[in-house]
Amino acid sequence: MKLSEKIRYLREVEGSLRGLRRPMTQQELVKAIRQELRKSISQSYLSQIESGARPHMTQSSRALLAKFFKVHPGFLVDDPEGYHTELTSDLRTTEGQLDVWLLQGSERFVSDPEVSEVLIKAAREKDTRRCLLLLGAILDTPGLAERLLEALRPDLTASTKSRRENGRDGHTPEKHRRAAAAERSSPR
C-alpha cells in the first residue's frame, strides 16, 4: 500500500471513530492536530502527500501523524512491492485492494452522501468481494434489482418511475418496454 492510500485510509477510519460517518477531511485533520497535539501541519502538505506529488514525509511530520493516528511511524511509508504484514492469500490481497478502491470512490462521491456511504459500507464488509459478486448476481437477474428496490427503498422507486415517465433518466422508451416485459415474465 502506498503512503497516500494509508493517509486516506487513516482519515476514513478516524472519521468513523469520531462519529462523522464519513472520512475526516484534510482541513479537519489539520485543525484536530492543532487542538489536540498543539502542533501544526499544513493542509497543502497533506494534499501533496495524498496526491503522490510528495512521496515521502519529513521525520517530524511522520512522527506527528503517527502520534495523532496512534500508529507506528514505520507504518507511514510505502510498503515494498508484495509486502504483507501477515500470511495472506491472493484473495485477501484482492480484498484489501477492493476496500481501498471503494474508500477512494466514497471520497470522489462525497457530494452524493448516499452513494458515498454505501461505498464505505461495502468496504467495511468482512467479505467485500462476495458483496460485489452479490450485486453482480442481482443485476444479472432480470427485474430483481427493481423488485428489491421497491421492497427496501420505495422512496427511490417512486423517483425513478417519475424520471422514466418524464424521459429524464437517459434510457430509451424501448429499453423501458423490454425491462417491463422481462419483469412481468419473471416469477415473483
Side-chain angles (χ1 to χ4, degrees):
M1 184 182 282
K2 296 281 188 195
L3 171 62
S4 57
E5 295 169 321
K6 290 179 179 183
I7 297 293
R8 282 192 296 270
Y9 174 74
L10 289 169
R11 283 194 304 107
E12 195 277 324
V13 169
E14 192 66 27
S16 177
L17 291 172
R18 291 174 182 249
L20 298 175
R21 300 183 67 197
R22 60 172 172 72
M24 189 176 213
T25 66
Q26 292 174 353
Q27 198 58 47
E28 288 169 332
L29 176 59
V30 167
K31 186 176 178 181
I33 288 172
R34 190 176 305 123
Q35 289 175 344
E36 296 168 25
L37 301 179
R38 306 279 187 242
K39 302 276 184 175
S40 67
I41 189 168
S42 75
Q43 184 272 326
S44 62
Y45 184 79
L46 287 171
S47 179
Q48 290 173 359
I49 292 168
E50 287 191 30
S51 71
R54 181 181 292 265
H56 305 288
M57 286 191 276
T58 63
Q59 193 63 21
S60 60
S61 296
R62 181 177 291 108
L64 179 62
L65 289 172
K67 185 173 183 178
F68 180 79
F69 287 123
K70 297 174 180 59
V71 298
H72 189 279
F75 176 73
L76 296 176
V77 296
D78 286 352
D79 292 335
E81 190 67 34
Y83 173 79
H84 301 288
T85 57
E86 57 193 44
L87 294 176
T88 58
S89 68
D90 288 342
L91 184 59
R92 187 63 228 162
T93 303
T94 299
E95 195 77 15
Q97 291 171 346
L98 285 172
D99 292 346
V100 168
W101 178 69
L102 288 165
L103 292 172
Q104 289 171 342
S106 75
E107 289 179 6
R108 287 190 190 104
F109 290 96
V110 73
S111 63
D112 187 339
E114 284 184 310
V115 170
S116 182
E117 188 174 325
V118 167
L119 293 171
I120 290 171
K121 285 178 184 177
R124 287 183 180 151
E125 267 303 302
K126 182 179 179 184
D127 191 343
T128 307
R129 183 177 182 278
R130 185 169 159 246
C131 182
L132 292 174
L133 293 176
L134 172 63
L135 176 60
I138 290 169
L139 296 174
D140 282 344
T141 306
L144 181 57
E146 189 65 31
R147 290 194 312 267
L148 285 171
L149 207 52
E150 282 177 17
L152 301 173
R153 292 288 306 269
D155 57 313
L156 289 179
T157 305
S159 67
T160 301
K161 285 181 181 177
S162 172
R163 283 196 324 267
R164 270 189 206 155
E165 291 165 2
N166 295 323
R168 289 182 292 172
D169 65 349
H171 297 303
T172 64
E174 178 60 29
K175 184 172 182 177
H176 290 300
R177 279 194 290 278
R178 279 186 273 143
E183 189 173 330
R184 283 192 300 272
S185 67
S186 63
R188 290 202 180 231

